[in-house]
Amino acid sequence: MRKISIILISAAVFAGSGYGAEFRFGKGSFSVESNILGTSQKIEDSITTYSLVEEHKNIFGSRLFYSYNITYLSSSKEQKAIDLYNTAIDPTPGYQPVMEYELQGLDAQVDIGLDILKNENGYLGISGLAGISLPYIKNYNSDNNNNTTTGYLPDSKTKIKTYRLGISLKTAYRIYLRIELFGFASYAYQTGNVKNDAWGIDSSVNGTYLTAGGGVKLYLVDRKVKLWIIPLSPKLYLTLGYKYDRWTVNNVKINNLALTVREDDLTITDSYAFTGIGYSF
């Protein structure tokens, strides 16, 4: 699965450099839920995203299409109390350590599919997808944490690496001249590992991935020409939209005496508004 993901994602980037690409900037929020991070509370704060996207591109005017999305995300730091701290190893009265968390990483997906419905006003397509997710969660001790805490729970990264296969649905409809509405949804099975050597986390995991969203596209340039027998449609456009992602992996194990938890699921969600500029041929 890893080789399939890397090959298809590389092919998408190569194809996009010649046929078109959209550059997106997004702002929104994220949350991480898992007891293995030492807190039973949601870790949540603001997030910024940078994406290289091709939402839907037909191959030489046929019903076959490809799409891709490569996104880097970075969050603000969120402070949480380690309420799952094992006081048996540190019975200091009234002491509860505090940790700061930060989410960063890369997610990439490529789709290859077929338009079930297609005309000059829009399309409805279904595709197979392959993807890879490489987020990581940084943790930092607060200045008030004692030496016992920093020894068992040092500053470190919890690295998540998953590969996925699934299906997508994509649609768009031209509502007025150069204004188009578009939407998308994907669901996939994913497998991989979660690792943080400093905290004693090392698990092979399985789970699911879900994304959905949509927006509006405004074409500044929209033409149709032929280069010999090859139809081309040069376009320049702006987009405004919204995207939601949810990664879930199950049964992540942790072996750390400083915490009272030994296993839990891990769920990362984000939702953000984005704006973009793109071109296509």
Side-chain angles (χ1 to χ4, degrees):
M1 188 176 292
R2 178 180 181 179
K3 290 181 178 179
I4 292 173
S5 298
I6 293 174
I7 290 170
L8 290 178
I9 291 166
S10 299
V13 175
F14 178 79
S17 65
Y19 288 101
E22 179 186 340
F23 303 91
R24 289 179 181 172
F25 171 77
K27 293 286 287 186
S29 61
F30 83 99
S31 71
V32 179
E33 296 178 73
S34 183
N35 288 347
I36 66 163
L37 299 174
T39 177
S40 62
Q41 306 169 65
K42 278 186 180 181
I43 300 166
E44 48 190 351
D45 211 320
S46 60
I47 197 167
T48 302
T49 64
Y50 306 90
S51 303
L52 177 66
V53 180
E54 173 58 75
E55 196 63 53
H56 178 280
K57 179 64 177 178
N58 290 106
I59 301 172
F60 298 130
S62 71
R63 289 178 178 265
L64 291 172
F65 72 88
Y66 71 87
S67 66
Y68 63 84
N69 186 310
I70 303 168
T71 296
Y72 174 77
L73 49 90
S74 179
S75 80
S76 302
K77 292 180 181 178
E78 170 72 356
Q79 191 174 80
K80 292 293 181 184
I82 304 298
D83 58 353
L84 300 175
Y85 196 61
N86 184 1
T87 55
I89 69 160
D90 188 355
T92 305
Y95 172 68
Q96 187 172 68
V98 172
M99 199 76 68
E100 283 189 324
Y101 298 92
E102 181 182 9
L103 176 67
Q104 293 184 356
L106 184 73
D107 181 75
Q109 178 174 309
V110 60
D111 289 73
I112 298 176
L114 181 70
D115 286 333
I116 302 170
L117 301 173
K118 177 176 167 57
N119 58 39
E120 61 182 10
N121 291 320
Y123 58 82
L124 174 65
I126 188 168
S127 61
L129 70 86
I132 181 171
S133 295
L134 300 168
Y136 54 89
I137 302 160
K138 293 182 178 179
N139 58 273
Y140 308 91
N141 279 273
S142 72
D143 294 338
N144 295 326
N145 288 359
N146 64 27
N147 290 336
T148 302
T149 300
T150 57
Y152 280 98
L153 301 171
D155 296 355
S156 59
K157 292 180 184 179
T158 301
K159 300 178 182 178
I160 304 158
K161 179 169 59 177
T162 62
Y163 309 98
R164 63 181 180 266
L165 292 174
I167 59 173
S168 295
L169 187 68
K170 294 180 176 290
T171 187
Y173 189 76
R174 190 76 64 102
I175 58 172
Y176 179 74
L177 296 177
R178 298 189 177 190
I179 300 175
E180 180 180 273
L181 299 180
F182 65 91
F184 54 87
S186 299
Y187 183 81
Y189 168 82
Q190 61 179 354
T191 185
N193 64 75
V194 181
K195 194 176 184 69
N196 183 335
D197 291 333
W199 278 37
I201 301 171
D202 189 2
S203 278
S204 296
V205 293
N206 298 307
T208 58
Y209 168 80
L210 170 69
T211 187
V216 60
K217 186 178 290 188
L218 172 63
Y219 290 96
L220 305 178
V221 176
D222 186 6
R223 300 180 58 195
K224 293 183 182 297
V225 297
K226 266 196 173 183
L227 180 62
W228 192 40
I229 61 171
I230 301 174
L232 296 176
S233 301
K235 296 178 174 66
L236 178 67
Y237 55 88
L238 303 175
T239 59
L240 182 67
Y242 169 87
K243 190 171 187 281
Y244 170 85
D245 304 298
R246 181 182 178 93
W247 297 264
T248 298
V249 292
N250 303 317
N251 308 121
V252 184
K253 297 176 175 60
I254 180 171
N255 182 19
N256 192 311
L257 295 178
L259 300 178
T260 58
V261 63
R262 293 292 171 262
E263 181 180 302
D264 197 24
D265 298 340
L266 172 66
T267 299
I268 301 174
T269 62
D270 66 57
S271 58
Y272 56 89
F274 63 82
T275 184
I277 182 169
Y279 69 96
S280 179
F281 293 103

